[in-house]
Amino acid sequence: MKLIGFANLKGGVAKTTSAIHFTYWVAALKRLEAVLIDDAHNRSALKWFSRAKENTKFSPPFEVAPSTKIARASQGKEMVVLDTQASISKEALQGLAEDCDLVVVPTKADIDSIMGAVNTVDVIKENGGDYRILITDCPPAPSKIGLEAQEALIDDGYQVIEQRIRSGAGVHLASLPGTTVAQQPSKYLGPWWDYRQAFTDIYEILDDLSAT
């Protein structure tokens, strides 16, 4: 069983969206038995799952469970994905670093989100954890905000997933009916193609870490 966490000390960085889409990706495309554990105060993932179960046109290929049921929900699973609290304490982040095979730190390209990501990563590194930063919600070209943020982080020595996630209406259109961007019409699929490439890289990193 592999355990991957999604965390950032700052909220509003597409943390839950990324966690939902990663769990969908490993369950639907990699055919792994997966579960998403919702440890966030607002229970966004559980609310999404409730809407998904009511959607007659979409059947999520994984379960979502509250953190209070993590032991039972994780039984027999090949991949456990943890969506953490936006205001996660440093103590909880320390435990996350110690327990997870990898912590993905989503961040938007604004300075407040990036500082939240950097502070998150610093705690993870201090406690011997493995991480990757994922740049999300990037404005479309000709904007270079996402690229510039990525390059600045790399220049400062941080490990960043090469594929950035573009912004798009498909993310918001998918959330309300409890689906993923993958179920949206083709003109809204841009963020999904980005997520697929990023998740492929993340999965390879997990494999490499398991081999060491």
Side-chain angles (χ1 to χ4, degrees), residues 6 79 105:
F6 284 75
M79 182 73 69
V105 183

Side-chain angles (χ1 to χ4, degrees), residues 69-212:
K69 297 182 179 179
I70 184 171
R72 184 171 183 176
S74 301
Q75 290 181 2
K77 297 298 187 291
E78 298 167 282
M79 182 73 69
V80 177
V81 182
L82 181 61
D83 179 28
T84 65
Q85 303 171 15
S87 56
I88 186 172
S89 67
K90 287 191 175 181
E91 291 76 13
L93 199 52
Q94 291 170 2
L96 194 72
E98 294 170 357
D99 295 339
C100 287
D101 296 288
L102 181 70
V103 180
V104 175
V105 183
T107 181
K108 294 183 179 181
D110 64 275
I111 187 62
D112 289 338
S113 298
I114 290 174
M115 289 307 300
V118 166
N119 291 334
T120 302
V121 166
D122 288 346
V123 176
I124 294 169
K125 290 169 63 178
E126 288 170 4
N127 291 273
D130 290 299
Y131 76 92
R132 291 297 186 278
I133 296 173
L134 176 66
I135 310 292
T136 64
D137 201 30
C138 295
S143 173
K144 296 183 179 180
I145 292 175
L147 175 61
E148 291 169 353
Q150 184 181 52
E151 291 176 340
L153 286 164
I154 292 172
D155 288 345
D156 286 341
Y158 292 97
Q159 299 189 74
V160 185
I161 296 295
E162 181 178 356
Q163 180 63 59
R164 301 179 300 278
I165 312 302
R166 76 192 85 172
S167 59
V171 175
H172 304 288
L173 293 172
S175 178
L176 184 60
T179 65
T180 74
V181 184
Q183 284 74 52
Q184 296 303 303
S186 58
K187 65 179 179 179
Y188 297 122
L189 286 176
W192 174 239
W193 303 133
D194 296 341
Y195 268 130
R196 285 184 62 164
Q197 182 56 58
F199 295 157
T200 298
D201 294 343
I202 289 170
Y203 194 80
E204 290 176 356
I205 291 166
L206 279 169
D207 277 345
D208 290 343
L209 291 171
S210 298
T212 58

Side-chain angles (χ1 to χ4, degrees), residues 4-18:
I4 182 169
F6 284 75
N8 189 323
L9 289 167
K10 183 185 181 302
V13 294
K15 175 179 60 62
T16 298
T17 298
S18 299

Side-chain angles (χ1 to χ4, degrees), residues 27-92:
L29 276 69
K30 302 300 288 185
R31 304 294 183 183
L32 298 183
E33 291 292 328
V35 63
L36 173 58
I37 302 299
D38 190 344
D39 192 36
H41 291 306
N42 58 9
R43 293 292 190 258
S44 292
L46 280 166
K47 292 174 182 175
W48 171 88
F49 189 58
S50 178
R51 296 193 297 274
K53 289 191 293 184
E54 294 175 357
N55 188 335
T56 58
K57 298 181 180 180
F58 174 66
S59 180
F62 61 93
E63 294 290 319
V64 180
S67 55
T68 53
K69 297 182 179 179
I70 184 171
R72 184 171 183 176
S74 301
Q75 290 181 2
K77 297 298 187 291
E78 298 167 282
M79 182 73 69
V80 177
V81 182
L82 181 61
D83 179 28
T84 65
Q85 303 171 15
S87 56
I88 186 172
S89 67
K90 287 191 175 181
E91 291 76 13

